[in-house]
Amino acid sequence: MGISIAKRILTYVLVLFGLSILIFVIARVMPGDVARMALGPRTPEATVEALREEMHLRDPIYTQYFYWLGDIFKGDFGVSIISKRPVLDDIRIYLPATMELVLLSAVFTAFFGIVLGVLSAKYSGKWPDAIIRIFSYFGVVAPAFFWAVLVMLLFAYLIPILPSSGRIGPGLTEPAHVTGMYILDYLLAGNTAGAFDALKHILMPAVVLSFGGISQAARITRTSMTENMMKPYASAERAYGIPENKILFKYLLRPSLNSTISVMALDIAGAFAGAFLVEQIFNYPGLSRYCLQAMLNKDVFAVSAVVMVFGVIFIVMNFVTDIIISVLDPRVRLAARGEA
Amino acid sequence: MKGKHKGYAVSVVLAVMLAMTAGCGNNTASESEGAGADAEQTVAVGAGRITQCVNWPCYIDPAVGSGYADSVSMLNLYDTLTFPNTDGSVSPFVATDWEVSDDSTEYTFHLRDDVYFHSGNPLTASDVKFSMDRLLTIGEGYAYLFVDLIDSVAAVDEHTVLFKLKKPSGTFHSTVIRLYILDEKTVMENIDASGTYGEFGDYGKAWLTTNDAGSGPYKVKEMKTEEYLLMERNADYWGGWEDGAPEQAKVIGGITGANLRTMMSRGEVDISYDAETQETYDALDELDGMTVVRLAMGTNLNLMLNTKLAPTDDIHLRRAMAYAMDYETLGTNIYPKSRTATGPIPSGFKAALDASEFPYSRNLEKAKAELEQSPYREELLSGELPIALTWCTEGGDRQEKFALLVQAGMSELGVKVNITGKPFAAMMTDAQTVETTPNASMVVFAPPSLDVGSVLKARYHSDSCGSWEQMEWLRDAEIDEMIETAVTIPGDAERDAQYAEIARKIVELCPTIWLDLSHPMAYNSDHVVLWPAAEISKTGEPFIYATGYTAYYRDFRLAE
């Protein structure tokens, strides 16, 4: 087990190292002069040249890479050319915003995805299954930005009950920074009005972000559940007279969740990077939108750092998923120990 | 699930839904009411605030920012020696008057003695010197206007400042509208000593990212670098206040499309950005109380023709392109209410040429006649030598439509035009050599100050070749000399006459196809009852605003 974990951690380190090279090169071969982009098109050439020197842009790309890597080990991710702040400060501000959004979206995905999947399996071939299937198809086929515009027009424009932009309303000041996640920070400060306001602001983006995941989770759960419902042990349970709901939720759901959780974890990890359109449309100041702006402005330090953060998140999510699956399914645990 | 548990679950769900519903409702109202539970954490939200969408990011440090959002912020937070008028002239502002030496190399400004910074410190000549020194040392923002011009700055006495120039300038008093005056004492109290500017540390750059050290009509209340800048009135402003002027002004970034429409319909945004699609403006125009205006701000759209690369190095082909252009479609359908330009000087400037002096309008016969005289005629008609045209992707679908219009016009002559969309960053890289600069490049140019000389110098002087500002590669010694001479002439009328002469010469060479852009902006005229720029645009008279000055909020009036 210990060796297995060590191997896995070594793989993760290699993946991150490869990712760092890849993103460093990609960020630098994007068209445009980094220093010129940083200082603006009209800044005198002497000032731009000084920045090129400071950023080692005249050195070969591999030398630049080692400067960058060396700085990272010292905790210095460079200064963003957009915000003019250390990139690490930007990440501290933007990451919790995206984290809050993705976590809420993950809650919706997990809850509705599994519930709809179970219902769909239970009523397989009947009208609830058909409705859920249609919803799932729409959720998968229509992109998040489509839902974003639709939901915004519906709940912010036609029936204006939810705010369409930002993290909190103009009448509120930010909560004291504890986690950076406003709902939680307001609650910790005992400010329920603030927490509600933050919840209202995040509700539409989180729901929209979860649509795709809910649809996928529902379909996968349904498929696994349907398969398991045909297995002999399910028939035996029915023969013993165990109520159908108990069979579904107690005996069939757990073994049916392996695929769902694997896919859901990838969806959630992917949502960190893929939230940029939703964040853009709702003007939500998260890390994905920041990364998009950084790419458009050739903010090389910001792009590199953010992609590395997304890489780490992806790896952590994979690791956590493996643990959850091994807890849920004894076969996986035994296979890891070589006992299966 | 047992019945009791079911009951709990239903209760919890209902309670959450009830609480959500209570927390929803009209957004603006609930925000202040909802915040009432924690009164200390709230700021007033009232009718006295104006909110405008701008491009983002926004840099409020006068030694860093020079974009539209930056300019809007800085001109509201800081004061300047002179203030621009809409006819291209400037008026005394912090400087009550000024003297110019006979050789136009020394400008002495006399300052008001009743101007105070937001900190309470008085504004003195020393602050002016400090602001210019800081701008030149950092070298960013509007420094490019001064870096080749300023020899030294001296505080002669508390209220007199002397600028010595490296070369004569007849328009320096116009250029100083971009010298935003900082409070030296406040900046020095907030420097980071570990910065790279020696005894000045970081020159206050970190602090000034989210704070101001100005004396302007507004001061920073809250700066969220990722979202918005909220400013509040400087109640003690030396220029005073009139009833109805905004109590607070907020510039906000990233609001576009459906979100903009939603927020404007809810009264959360008063003025739109100017880069929306036509469909968005049409939708906004239909909202109650919304008005769409088109502001000419001295910005022109240039189809820059590379005069040193075949086949556009041939003047006859360039003229053929100018005659083949469908200006009416361009100025009505693609850029509605934009004016057909009369040359390189945007309309609104007094030196702009009269329409009667501008020879180019759509005329296919003349275009064909010019093409006949081109030494590249055969290669052009056979398609062997196509014209390469690049449009800027940040310019949106309108630039692409413009490119297609050029392509369609030239196809009527039998000439092939290959069009490519590129990000501005790539265009800047292309502009560095003659060979990599396309035959035709589409670039929007906004004059940084109200000095025509700076426009002509940036656009057509040989010094700007190799930069995005001059992808024509004109390199005409006579024009260079004419520009250098014109900018030293102290008399406005005489100088304008010389500028017009330069414009005629440039028009004759036809290095560019110009369009005077109108910027569409939607605003809530029920709330913003007076927006000077919108009012003047309705008169139909030529006018010009230096970048950002359409948003000098002190002159706005809001409904009660």
Side-chain angles (χ1 to χ4, degrees):
Chain A
M1 189 73 170
I3 293 172
S4 167
I5 290 173
K7 272 185 189 171
R8 183 159 291 188
I9 288 172
L10 184 66
T11 312
Y12 292 154
V13 171
L14 287 175
V15 166
L16 283 179
F17 182 64
L19 183 66
S20 74
I21 294 174
L22 194 67
I23 192 58
F24 186 86
V25 172
I26 289 173
R28 274 148 187 82
V29 297
M30 287 193 297
D33 177 345
V34 176
R36 174 58 67 188
M37 296 281 286
L39 297 176
R42 282 167 163 158
T43 302
E45 185 55 29
T47 310
V48 180
E49 187 55 36
L51 185 63
R52 286 192 195 107
E53 288 294 325
E54 191 186 320
M55 295 173 78
H56 309 292
L57 295 174
R58 293 290 187 208
D59 294 330
I61 196 160
Y62 57 86
T63 313
Q64 292 180 45
Y65 175 75
F66 286 114
Y67 274 120
W68 178 71
L69 203 61
D71 286 343
I72 284 182
F73 282 122
K74 287 184 269 178
D76 177 9
F77 282 79
V79 173
S80 161
I81 66 173
I82 302 177
S83 68
K84 315 282 184 194
R85 285 184 304 214
V87 172
L88 210 55
D89 288 354
D90 284 343
I91 291 174
R92 280 196 197 108
I93 292 170
Y94 295 117
L95 181 60
T98 296
M99 189 91 81
E100 186 174 36
L101 177 64
V102 172
L103 285 179
L104 194 60
S105 155
V107 169
F108 291 143
T109 302
F111 180 76
F112 290 108
I114 293 169
V115 167
L116 291 179
V118 172
L119 285 176
S120 202
K122 183 179 176 183
Y123 297 103
S124 180
K126 296 178 182 162
W127 66 266
D129 181 31
I131 289 174
I132 293 167
R133 188 186 305 143
I134 290 169
F135 168 81
S136 301
Y137 289 158
F138 270 113
V140 171
V141 170
F145 67 80
F146 167 79
W147 294 115
V149 173
L150 193 73
V151 168
M152 180 191 287
L153 288 177
L154 197 59
F155 294 109
Y157 183 65
L158 294 173
I159 315 163
I161 55 170
L162 289 171
S164 64
S165 171
R167 294 185 75 185
I168 49 172
L172 284 174
T173 48
E174 291 174 26
H177 189 286
V178 180
T179 63
M181 294 189 258
Y182 282 4
I183 298 175
L184 203 54
D185 286 354
Y186 274 126
L187 288 175
L188 289 173
N191 183 350
T192 48
F196 263 122
D197 189 71
L199 181 61
K200 279 192 304 176
H201 279 79
I202 205 173
L203 198 59
M204 277 200 290
V207 166
V208 164
L209 197 60
S210 67
F211 273 166
I214 290 174
S215 306
Q216 283 204 62
R219 294 305 297 161
I220 293 166
T221 307
R222 179 197 180 278
T223 307
S224 304
M225 288 281 284
T226 312
E227 275 174 18
N228 287 333
M229 283 165 81
M230 310 293 281
K231 292 202 169 147
Y233 72 89
S235 304
E237 284 159 359
R238 281 192 199 97
Y240 278 113
I242 299 173
E244 188 65 21
N245 278 349
K246 191 170 183 182
I247 296 172
L248 282 176
F249 286 100
K250 188 163 182 184
Y251 300 113
L252 294 181
L253 185 57
R254 252 172 88 155
S256 302
L257 283 181
N258 284 6
S259 316
T260 309
I261 287 171
S262 300
V263 171
M264 215 153 35
L266 289 177
D267 276 347
I268 292 165
F272 277 93
F276 68 92
L277 272 175
V278 173
E279 291 185 351
Q280 186 76 16
I281 291 169
F282 289 102
N283 197 31
Y284 187 86
L287 195 64
S288 291
R289 193 182 73 153
Y290 171 74
C291 187
L292 177 70
Q293 293 301 323
M295 287 174 74
L296 292 174
N297 290 283
K298 200 168 178 182
D299 192 344
V300 287
F301 291 128
V303 171
S304 307
V306 172
V307 172
M308 290 304 290
V309 168
F310 287 148
V312 171
I313 289 171
F314 215 82
I315 283 169
V316 169
M317 284 300 293
N318 263 320
F319 192 67
V320 170
T321 308
D322 287 350
I323 292 170
I324 292 173
I325 289 175
S326 68
V327 168
L328 285 177
D329 192 341
R331 290 170 300 180
V332 177
R333 279 200 303 275
L334 295 171
R337 289 182 204 157
E339 294 173 23
Chain B
M1 191 181 278
K2 289 176 185 169
K4 193 171 74 174
H5 292 156
K6 270 187 189 168
Y8 285 145
V10 170
S11 305
V12 167
V13 170
L14 282 175
V16 169
M17 287 175 71
L18 197 64
M20 290 287 298
T21 314
C24 294
N26 184 288
N27 193 40
T28 314
S30 69
E31 271 147 6
S32 40
E33 287 161 11
D38 192 5
E40 285 186 8
Q41 292 193 22
T42 64
V43 294
V45 182
R49 179 190 288 180
I50 185 164
T51 304
Q52 180 175 6
C53 287
V54 292
N55 57 336
W56 211 256
C58 172
Y59 304 120
I60 64 172
D61 180 344
V64 175
S66 62
Y68 177 76
D70 316 336
S71 302
V72 167
S73 310
M74 293 186 299
L75 66 91
N76 281 291
L77 296 170
Y78 293 89
D79 281 327
T80 49
L81 293 173
T82 58
F83 194 88
N85 302 316
T86 54
D87 62 355
S89 63
V90 293
S91 295
F93 202 46
V94 167
T96 53
D97 59 301
W98 54 90
E99 292 131 25
V100 187
S101 66
D102 291 342
D103 62 356
S104 301
T105 58
E106 290 186 7
Y107 277 72
T108 307
F109 291 89
H110 303 283
L111 313 184
R112 300 179 65 99
D113 60 4
D114 58 350
V115 182
Y116 290 87
F117 289 108
H118 302 152
S119 61
N121 298 326
L123 187 153
T124 65
S126 169
D127 296 304
V128 179
K129 174 181 163 47
F130 173 81
S131 303
M132 180 60 88
D133 289 344
R134 181 176 183 273
L135 180 63
L136 295 177
T137 305
I138 292 174
E140 299 174 36
Y142 283 112
Y144 67 90
L145 291 172
F146 302 102
V147 76
D148 292 332
L149 196 58
I150 300 292
D151 183 38
S152 65
V153 191
V156 177
D157 61 40
E158 198 172 345
H159 294 109
T160 309
V161 61
L162 169 66
F163 292 89
K164 288 188 178 176
L165 310 183
K166 291 175 186 167
K167 52 193 174 189
S169 170
T171 59
F172 184 67
H173 57 291
S174 294
T175 313
V176 291
I177 64 165
R178 295 306 186 190
L179 174 62
Y180 299 99
I181 306 166
L182 295 104
D183 178 357
E184 178 180 6
K185 199 175 168 200
T186 299
V187 173
M188 292 307 291
E189 282 169 0
N190 290 285
I191 61 168
D192 175 353
S194 65
T196 55
Y197 301 106
E199 62 177 304
F200 295 101
D202 72 339
Y203 242 135
K205 271 178 95 174
W207 188 77
L208 285 165
T209 304
T210 52
N211 297 279
D212 77 81
S215 58
Y218 289 88
K219 51 189 177 181
V220 172
K221 181 161 183 65
E222 187 183 12
M223 174 64 180
K224 289 199 76 174
T225 52
E226 64 277 20
E227 277 185 272
Y228 60 80
L229 164 68
L230 178 63
M231 299 177 278
E232 65 179 351
R233 261 193 206 183
N234 168 15
D236 302 323
Y237 189 57
W238 60 271
W241 290 97
E242 289 186 26
D243 290 345
E247 292 281 346
Q248 293 185 337
K250 184 178 183 181
V251 288
I252 182 167
I255 309 290
T256 56
N259 202 355
L260 175 69
R261 189 176 162 184
T262 303
M263 292 183 76
M264 290 194 81
S265 74
R266 293 161 62 138
E268 293 169 4
V269 166
D270 296 304
I271 303 178
S272 77
Y273 184 41
D274 67 347
E276 296 297 326
T277 61
Q278 189 56 44
E279 290 73 22
T280 300
Y281 290 114
D282 290 344
L284 288 170
D285 207 12
E286 286 174 13
L287 295 175
D288 284 345
M290 217 59 71
T291 304
V292 175
V293 287
R294 296 184 182 276
L295 304 179
M297 296 192 278
T299 320
N300 60 10
L301 177 57
N302 301 267
L303 186 63
M304 300 177 173
L305 306 175
N306 186 341
T307 62
K308 298 294 180 285
L309 184 76
T312 43
D313 58 345
D314 172 44
I315 190 169
H316 296 294
L317 174 64
R318 297 201 298 270
R319 285 177 179 161
M321 291 178 76
Y323 282 123
M325 188 68 223
D326 184 351
Y327 297 95
E328 196 180 335
T329 301
L330 184 63
T332 51
N333 294 352
I334 302 177
Y335 292 96
K337 296 193 180 172
S338 291
R339 299 164 192 247
T340 301
T342 59
I345 303 173
S347 60
F349 282 114
K350 283 178 183 166
L353 295 181
D354 188 76
S356 61
E357 294 186 81
F358 189 70
Y360 305 109
S361 58
R362 182 167 165 83
N363 187 326
L364 282 179
E365 291 310 312
K366 282 187 178 176
K368 284 173 185 166
E370 288 289 346
L371 188 60
E372 285 297 318
Q373 298 177 61
S374 172
Y376 300 114
R377 182 180 171 280
E378 297 305 320
E379 293 104 310
L380 286 165
L381 293 178
S382 68
E384 276 178 52
L385 193 58
I387 296 168
L389 186 157
T390 299
W391 58 277
C392 181
T393 48
E394 285 93 331
D397 65 335
R398 278 185 273 196
Q399 280 210 13
E400 187 175 16
K401 286 177 186 167
F402 183 6
L404 290 168
L405 194 66
V406 175
Q407 191 181 50
M410 292 308 287
S411 75
E412 289 186 64
L413 302 179
V415 176
K416 189 177 174 187
V417 177
N418 292 333
I419 58 176
T420 313
K422 281 191 179 180
F424 186 56
M427 291 178 74
M428 283 199 291
T429 308
D430 287 350
Q432 288 173 358
T433 66
V434 169
E435 294 73 25
T436 53
T437 304
N439 294 117
S441 308
M442 225 171 267
V443 175
V444 173
F445 182 90
S449 70
L450 294 184
D451 171 22
V452 176
S454 69
V455 174
L456 293 174
K457 193 154 189 263
R459 290 286 292 111
Y460 296 103
H461 193 280
S462 295
D463 286 353
S464 66
C465 287
S467 78
W468 64 275
E469 288 183 312
Q470 195 196 150
M471 292 167 88
E472 288 93 345
W473 292 92
L474 201 54
R475 292 199 290 211
D476 186 304
E478 190 185 346
I479 288 177
D480 289 354
E481 195 184 335
M482 287 172 83
I483 294 172
E484 285 163 17
T485 307
V487 295
T488 65
I489 299 171
D492 290 348
E494 197 186 339
R495 191 174 56 248
D496 282 345
Q498 182 66 11
Y499 286 151
E501 196 51 41
I502 297 167
R504 284 184 201 101
K505 172 87 177 156
I506 293 170
V507 167
E508 192 185 324
L509 294 172
C510 194
T512 315
I513 294 172
W514 301 276
L515 178 74
D516 282 349
L517 280 180
S518 276
H519 298 257
M521 291 171 105
Y523 75 105
N524 182 347
S525 46
D526 279 356
H527 184 220
V528 183
V529 292
L530 175 66
W531 179 11
E535 295 306 315
I536 197 170
S537 77
K538 291 172 190 167
T539 65
E541 295 298 315
F543 63 93
I544 187 146
Y545 277 95
T547 302
Y549 277 88
T550 50
Y552 185 65
Y553 298 121
R554 181 169 164 258
D555 288 346
F556 284 53
R557 297 291 176 267
L558 303 183
E560 287 293 320

